Amino acid sequence: MAKVSVYNMEGSQVGEMELNDAVFGVEINEHVVHMAVVSQLANKRQGTQSAKTRAEVSGGGKKPWRQKGTGHARQGSTRAPQWTHGGVVFAPKPRDYSFKLNKKEKALALKSVLTAKVQENKFIVVDEIKMDEVKTKTFKAALDSLKAPKSLVVLAEKNENVSLSARNLPTVKATTYNAINVYDILKYDTVVIAKAAVEAVQEVYA
């Protein structure tokens, strides 16, 4: 089992913690990680774009000129795609882009990115992440002392003061252990996680 240091909010080491290899020491599967990211981004797409084909634009019922003898190229409609005000070729239509991964694939992708963060020393365990008041400046100072200015902060349970303190920091996101996802873990440089959240993650995925 891998061992990581446990810090306090001031950035001082206060102990050590063993990580379960079933969650934080798996063989990294890049293909499943890629599929998880593609799935998450695809599921976010609204798919509401739409344009009209030549069958849907108004007008164009009459042949603009006779077939032969004019010197022009033959034309059947003024609403064909090559005409101004014509329809769009293969026009986009509302559709659902989402697709699903099965549970085992999702779990493996999450374990893979968590393992990668541990291997890269980008996984910082904090004994307790809490704020007595909503203060972005104080929270930023705490992350700077942990050397994690660009981080995903993972809590064991929702904490309004921490969430509001992190909200105005563009390079920081606060979430709970049961809402973490592959895309966010990859997007943010460092994972700053509460000790209780590590235990909860191990309980869920081990």
Side-chain angles (χ1 to χ4, degrees), residues 113-114 116-124 143 146-153 170-173 182-192:
V113 290
L114 288 172
K117 288 295 181 187
V118 172
Q119 290 176 358
E120 294 165 6
N121 295 319
K122 298 287 188 181
F123 190 83
I124 299 173
L143 292 178
L146 291 165
K147 296 179 182 174
K150 298 177 181 178
S151 56
L152 177 67
V153 180
T171 59
V172 176
K173 179 179 180 179
V182 174
Y183 180 73
D184 280 347
I185 293 170
L186 291 173
K187 180 182 178 182
Y188 295 92
D189 185 54
T190 309
V191 174
V192 175

Side-chain angles (χ1 to χ4, degrees), residues 41-54:
L41 294 178
N43 294 351
K44 279 184 176 180
R45 294 183 69 173
Q46 287 185 315
T48 53
Q49 79 280 39
S50 184
K52 291 183 178 181
T53 64
R54 62 182 292 174

Side-chain angles (χ1 to χ4, degrees), residues 74-114:
R74 55 192 174 187
Q75 300 290 331
S77 167
T78 56
R79 294 298 179 261
Q82 73 271 20
W83 284 70
T84 303
H85 308 301
V88 177
V89 184
F90 306 128
K93 294 295 174 188
R95 54 168 286 202
D96 180 12
Y97 287 92
S98 66
F99 67 93
K100 288 185 177 180
L101 293 180
N102 65 45
K103 286 182 181 178
K104 285 185 178 179
E105 286 176 323
K106 279 184 182 177
L108 178 57
L110 192 66
K111 291 176 186 179
S112 292
V113 290
L114 288 172

Side-chain angles (χ1 to χ4, degrees), residues 156-175:
E157 56 188 24
K158 195 169 184 182
N159 184 309
E160 200 70 22
N161 286 352
V162 172
S163 298
L164 293 174
S165 297
R167 191 169 63 178
N168 277 343
L169 296 170
T171 59
V172 176
K173 179 179 180 179
T175 187

